[in-house]
């Protein structure tokens, strides 16, 4: 090969993209549905502003006000009759007091865990991995139920406005979950923008209703509804509050009202989704969310008890819709704005369901990263979101909707148990942390977190008892099973990891004295000859071919073809009888015999003729995989499948295609233009420094160049060789290698960084290389 310094050698060029694989149909369909994939280096640009974060992370909590007060009345009215409306306000104030305490506790969580916090991380760091799995299971179940109940409640809001849609309730729930899944698969930022508007619209419309209601109450007064209207839930008779049955009902009503607090966890789980400073923005959003939630719950409860709004057996019309309709009246403005209120209620409930798509994938990602869930839940998808978590959440929620027929009352029984378990572990975990560190105003924080955790624990106990027969038993049974499964999965991962640990005696990969290669022959064709060619490149001590005889006539034909093919004259072929036609067993027996000596390593090469499509799988077997699988279990034996694409030969086409001229710009990430250099400015013309920044594709051999590009590869030299470091950088026009002598690393340099370099352009193996350049790193 001609060297660059010899006459007539080709001029070195910058690195260029020459080809790329043709996209399969599945990927083209994904791009059509989801848009172009996001570059992983743009992950920081997917962070949310506070106004968008309020829409995507707070909508679950805010939307709970649409049914929290109603669920309290569902428990109280059958037992206490119209006295339930008198009890509604005290019950609401208790819920708001708990909201205040838990909000203060989670502000502390966000202050300490400034990226991603929540009950899982707090439990893991303060109580250990076993307790953390209890938190993980609680949150996983809670988010699944949240998606189901928010969807069902949103559909109920639609049916309240258009009762004729009632028969299509389940189908509508399916459509909503599918649309939410699709929206989140397109990216977190896009989903946040889409659901910010419903949150603000709901808050605006409800505050407008409350304002009109206060005005009407102060002037003309508000009408009262007939609580015994047909279709409403049964109104019981008044009774005392001190009997055991009455206390039980009050506790159940309180548990129902606790559903208003679900969603507080979401912001602590998603602190890392905020723009910098993450913790400051997250705390502000948390406080704003709690203030809005408290105002809405108080407003709905107050006006429900003023107008005697009664829940209905079929859950429509909802209490919040009765409040809005009564306050707004039947006039032109009232009727029109009532539609706005119902639409905003529907949208906020769906937006609340959407919150789970941000929080659930983050929780399962952390559990999977710790080894308690399958590792594929940690992978980011087409739009840099945890798409596998989105699919799991959607599927589980759909099954729950089918099981409960989309009933909000049934779903509430599963609801708050999980989230209050998370509140308990988070509060007590932070109290333990405050007591252990004793930093700053730790006593106040310890009291707040301790009260939050203790109160939540009491609520969990109350909920488990009063809701046991209504469905809470399912959670109490399923949760321990899931925790046990998570721990077993971690043991399995640990066992696999320990099996691959490099022990002291295995730190250096010692060479085997004898390396033999055997090609398994099924027919003498181009695939077999190509495999033999590859076998020679392995430089084996001995190279053989083996055919396992299943048919004597075919074996004779293979022998004749082998002997007549001069391309394999140097490779002897062995014919081994396989009377039972079990090729994997015959291959294992051969490999064991060939490696009886401890200094022998054997590589078995299996030519595989690849046939794509259903017809190819129908017409041809998969013998190579069947042989390779048991071979891989033998020591000092490696089975290598050498693929050979038949369809490529038939069609005359290649999988790889030449990229168009713009391929480099399409495939390489956009590199920001370099600002004014921080290096010293030179005065006049000097030969040892090139000030002007040049596109990489335009740099010239044996001239100085000043380039800017994004680091795509870092290649440090092996530890037993001279220390060198090669860094490959690209811009839209091409790539170049920067070679640093005398070092194996550069502090702060990582793949994806933007690097500015200046130096003399040389070459290595025909490619342009800048040796020991001056450089600047920009993250």
């Amino acid at each position: 090969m001609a060297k660059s310094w010899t006459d007539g050698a080709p001029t070195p060029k910058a690195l260029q993209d020459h080809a790329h694989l043709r996209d399969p149909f599945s990927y083209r369909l994904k791009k059509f549905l989801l848009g172009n994939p996001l570059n992983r280096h743009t992950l920081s640009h997917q962070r949310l502003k506070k106004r968008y974060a309020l829409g995507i992370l707070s909508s679950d909590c805010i939307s709970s006000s649409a049914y929290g007060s109603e669920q309290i009345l569902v428990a109280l009215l059958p037992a206490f009759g119209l006295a339930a409306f008198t009890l509604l306000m005290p019950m609401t104030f208790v819920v708001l007091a708990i909201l205040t305490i838990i909000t203060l506790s989670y502000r502390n969580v966000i202050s300490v865990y400034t990226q991603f916090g929540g009950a899982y991380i707090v439990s893991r760091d303060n109580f250990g991995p076993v307790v953390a799995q209890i938190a993980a299971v609680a949150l996983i179940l809670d988010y699944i139920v949240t998606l189901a109940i928010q969807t069902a409640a949103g559909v109920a809001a639609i049916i309240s406005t258009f009762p004729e849609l009632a028969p299509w309730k389940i189908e509508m729930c399916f459509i909503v979950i599918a649309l939410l899944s699709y929206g989140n698969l397109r990216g977190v930022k896009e989903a946040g923008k889409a659901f910010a508007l419903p949150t603000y619209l709901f808050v605006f419309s409800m505050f407008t209703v409350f304002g009109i209601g206060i005005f009407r109450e102060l002037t003309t007064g508000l009408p009262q509804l007939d609580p015994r209207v047909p279709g409403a839930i049964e109104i019981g008779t008044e009774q005392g509050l001190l009997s055991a049955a009455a206390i039980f009902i009050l506790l159940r009503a309180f548990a129902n009202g606790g559903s208003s607090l679900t969603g507080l966890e979401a912001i602590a789980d998603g602190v890392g989704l905020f723009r910098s400073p993450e913790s400051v923005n997250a705390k502000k959003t948390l406080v704003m969310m709690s203030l809005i939630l408290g105002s809405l719950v108080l407003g709905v409860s107050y006006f429900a008890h003023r107008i005697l709004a009664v829940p209905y057996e079929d859950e429509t019309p909802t209490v919040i819709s009765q409040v809005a309709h009564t306050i707004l009246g039947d006039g032109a403005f009232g009727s029109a704005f009532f539609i706005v209120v119902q639409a905003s209620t529907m949208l906020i409930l769906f937006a609340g369901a959407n919150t789970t798509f941000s929080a659930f994938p983050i929780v399962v990602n952390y559990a999977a990263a710790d080894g308690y869930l399958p590792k594929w839940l940690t992978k980011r998808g087409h739009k840099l979101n945890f798409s596998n978590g989105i699919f799991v959440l959607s599927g589980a929620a759909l099954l729950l909707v089918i099981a409960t027929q989309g009933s909000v009352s049934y779903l509430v029984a599963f609801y708050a148990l999980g989230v209050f378990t998370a509140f308990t572990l988070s509060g007590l975990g932070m109290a333990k942390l405050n007591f252990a560190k004793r930093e700053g105003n730790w006593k106040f924080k310890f009291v707040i977190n301790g009260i939050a955790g203790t109160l939540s624990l009491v609520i969990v106990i109350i909920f488990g008892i009063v809701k046991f027969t209504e469905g809470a038993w399912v959670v109490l049974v399923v949760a321990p099973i899931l925790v046990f499964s998570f721990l077993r999965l971690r043991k399995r991962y640990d066992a696999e990891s320990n099996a691959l640990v490099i022990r002291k005696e295995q730190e250096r990969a010692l060479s085997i004295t004898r390396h033999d290669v055997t090609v398994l022959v099924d027919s003498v064709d181009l695939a077999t000859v190509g495999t033999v060619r590859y076998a020679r490149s392995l430089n084996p001590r001995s190279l053989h071919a083996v055919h396992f005889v299943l048919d004597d006539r075919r074996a004779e034909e293979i022998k004749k073809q082998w002997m007549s093919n001069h391309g394999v004259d140097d490779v002897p072929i062995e014919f081994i009888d396989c009377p039972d036609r079990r090729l994997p067993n015959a291959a294992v027996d051969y490999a064991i015999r060939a490696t009886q000596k401890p200094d022998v390593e054997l590589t078995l090469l299996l030519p595989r003729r690849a046939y794509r499509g259903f017809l190819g799988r129908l017409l041809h077997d998969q013998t190579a995989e069947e042989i390779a699988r048991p071979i891989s279990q033998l020591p000092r034996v490696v089975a290598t499948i050498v693929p050979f694409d038949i369809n490529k030969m038939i069609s005359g086409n290649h999988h790889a295609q030449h990229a168009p001229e713009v391929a480099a710009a399409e495939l390489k990430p956009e590199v920001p233009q370099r600002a004014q250099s921080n290096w010293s400015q030179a005065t006049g013309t000097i030969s040892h420094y090139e000030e002007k920044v040049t596109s990489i594709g335009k740099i010239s051999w044996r001239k100085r160049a000043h380039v800017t590009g994004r680091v795509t590869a870092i290649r440090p030299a092996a530890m037993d060789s001279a220390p060198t470091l090669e860094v490959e950088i690209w811009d839209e026009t091409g790539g170049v290698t920067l070679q640093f002598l005398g070092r194996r690393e550069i502090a702060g340099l990582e793949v994806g960084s933007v690097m500015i370099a200046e130096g003399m352009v040389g070459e290595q193996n025909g490619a342009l290389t800048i040796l020991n350049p001056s450089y600047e790193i920009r993250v």
Side-chain angles (χ1 to χ4, degrees), residues 437-445:
K437 290 190 173 182
R438 304 189 184 189
E439 296 175 350
N441 192 17
W442 71 271
K443 292 182 179 179
F444 175 75
K445 295 177 181 178

Side-chain angles (χ1 to χ4, degrees), residues 79-94:
F80 298 102
L82 296 180
F85 291 105
T86 304
L87 297 172
L88 176 60
M89 291 308 297
M91 195 74 68
T92 300
F93 285 122
V94 173

